[in-house]
Amino acid sequence: MTIASPASPAAGPASWLNNQPYLLLSLTSLFWAGNIVIARHVGAHVPPLTITTIRWFGVFLILLPFAWPHLKRDWPALRRSLPLMLFLSLVGFAFNNAISYWAMQYTEALNALLIQSAGPLFVALWSLVLFGVRLTGAQLGGIAISLLGVLIIILRGDLAALASISFNRGDIMFASSLVAFGLYSALIPRRPKIHQLSFLSFTTCCGATMLLPTAIWEAASGRVLQFDAITLATLGYILIFPSTLAYLFFNRGVALIGPNRAAPFFHLVPVFGSAMAILLLGEKLQPFHLIGYALVLAGVVLASRRGSAVT
């Protein structure tokens, strides 16, 4: 598999971080865990299509001053790969995020975290279907081990509770967002060899533009965004952490180690989510937390080892 390499980063701490795929992907999972918690908390308060549109236009405006020189230099490559870039904008930014925020109005955080655990499988499936890239035994075993750890954490050590969970239309919507993001993840190594700021600013702008008609429709139907304290705090977190930083980190991590080795880091999302509940909401640390954390960490280490791409 050919992996696109962004332009050389600036020297200093940023240069060091830019070449630490495991740290980048771990931070991505941390930021996305916070996003799921917030999305569930404010799901009935903010219009999902509108906030997703504002999210990506906001990220584009944040990045534009830094990305502009790279965009001008990379424009010929972007234009040559325009169909792929537009498709990545659709599945990775417009559809994926809008449908996941919409789904959180109908599903429970527990169900969302369970469905999120299937993320690596969707990445592996698309990599196999599109490019013939198969999971190795280590990857498959690592995903299985980390998935078991996720289930132990979410179900609080009682795996029998899995049988009592029911799913609704919000769960189907959330699953469809993961299918789309799995496709985005599998296609990332095939993107043009451009600077990651060019890539992210272009795709966020295109994704927001695609969503704009749906946001107008949402407002016309009576769901208007209220710029109160809750909305502003939500937008502040979303714009900086699960959007700008998380996508920069995720794209770079995938570029460094490939989608199949990066995908198991999705399992860190519920781990960080449960840790947030313990630290911020006063939940008690239980033995099943420690068992689950150990299994997830062991599975991620096993699945992300070097030499995983099999064609």
Side-chain angles (χ1 to χ4, degrees):
M1 175 183 294
T2 301
I3 297 176
S5 298
S8 298
S15 176
W16 176 84
L17 180 61
N18 199 52
N19 290 287
Q20 305 300 318
Y22 305 126
L23 178 57
L24 291 171
L25 293 167
S26 297
L27 289 172
T28 298
S29 296
L30 174 63
F31 299 153
W32 283 344
N35 191 45
I36 289 179
V37 173
I38 289 177
R40 178 56 185 162
H41 180 67
V42 303
H45 183 78
V46 295
L49 301 175
T50 302
I51 198 169
T52 309
T53 305
I54 293 175
R55 173 184 184 180
W56 295 128
F57 271 132
V59 172
F60 170 69
L61 292 175
I62 290 171
L63 293 177
L64 186 58
F66 308 99
W68 183 246
H70 305 293
L71 280 169
K72 289 193 296 184
R73 185 195 64 223
D74 293 334
W75 177 245
L78 286 167
R79 187 172 53 196
R80 288 193 299 270
S81 301
L82 190 59
L84 174 61
M85 295 297 296
L86 291 176
F87 188 71
L88 288 171
S89 302
L90 174 65
V91 296
F93 297 87
F95 178 83
N96 163 52
N97 287 271
I99 204 71
S100 62
Y101 278 121
W102 201 351
M104 293 308 294
Q105 297 186 4
Y106 304 104
T107 188
E108 298 293 330
L110 172 63
N111 287 27
L113 289 170
L114 280 171
I115 297 167
Q116 177 86 33
S117 302
L121 300 180
F122 290 126
V123 177
L125 178 62
W126 282 118
S127 296
L128 175 63
V129 170
L130 295 176
F131 309 118
V133 178
R134 304 189 304 273
L135 288 172
T136 65
Q139 284 181 333
L140 187 59
I143 290 174
I145 292 171
S146 58
L147 178 58
L148 177 61
V150 167
L151 293 177
I152 288 174
I153 294 169
I154 295 175
L155 301 176
R156 307 183 68 82
D158 182 13
L159 295 181
L162 190 62
S164 64
I165 294 177
S166 59
F167 295 94
N168 57 30
R169 62 173 175 170
D171 303 319
I172 297 173
M173 293 164 66
F174 196 83
S176 70
S177 76
L178 281 180
V179 172
F181 194 74
L183 179 56
Y184 170 85
S185 303
L187 289 171
I188 281 290
R190 310 290 169 151
R191 72 182 190 179
K193 294 183 179 181
I194 57 177
H195 196 279
Q196 60 176 335
L197 288 177
S198 299
F199 176 80
L200 190 56
S201 58
F202 184 89
T203 48
T204 52
C205 182
C206 291
T209 303
M210 293 173 184
L211 285 167
L212 186 58
T214 69
I216 295 173
W217 167 81
E218 189 174 56
S221 66
R223 295 215 60 190
V224 180
L225 190 68
Q226 303 295 325
F227 285 96
D228 52 21
I230 294 177
T231 300
L232 292 176
T234 300
L235 281 173
Y237 176 82
I238 288 174
L239 285 174
I240 296 172
F241 294 101
S243 303
T244 304
L245 293 179
Y247 271 80
L248 283 172
F249 291 177
F250 179 79
N251 291 343
R252 178 59 176 166
V254 172
L256 289 172
I257 65 173
N260 276 350
R261 289 174 61 199
F265 283 83
F266 288 157
H267 284 161
L268 292 178
V269 173
V271 170
F272 285 130
S274 67
M276 287 178 185
I278 292 169
L279 295 174
L280 302 178
L281 303 179
E283 291 192 8
K284 186 178 179 181
L285 182 66
Q286 301 284 356
F288 66 79
H289 286 118
L290 299 177
I291 296 171
Y293 294 161
L295 287 171
V296 170
L297 182 59
V300 169
V301 170
L302 177 61
S304 61
R305 290 187 309 174
R306 196 178 291 272
S308 60
V310 178
T311 57

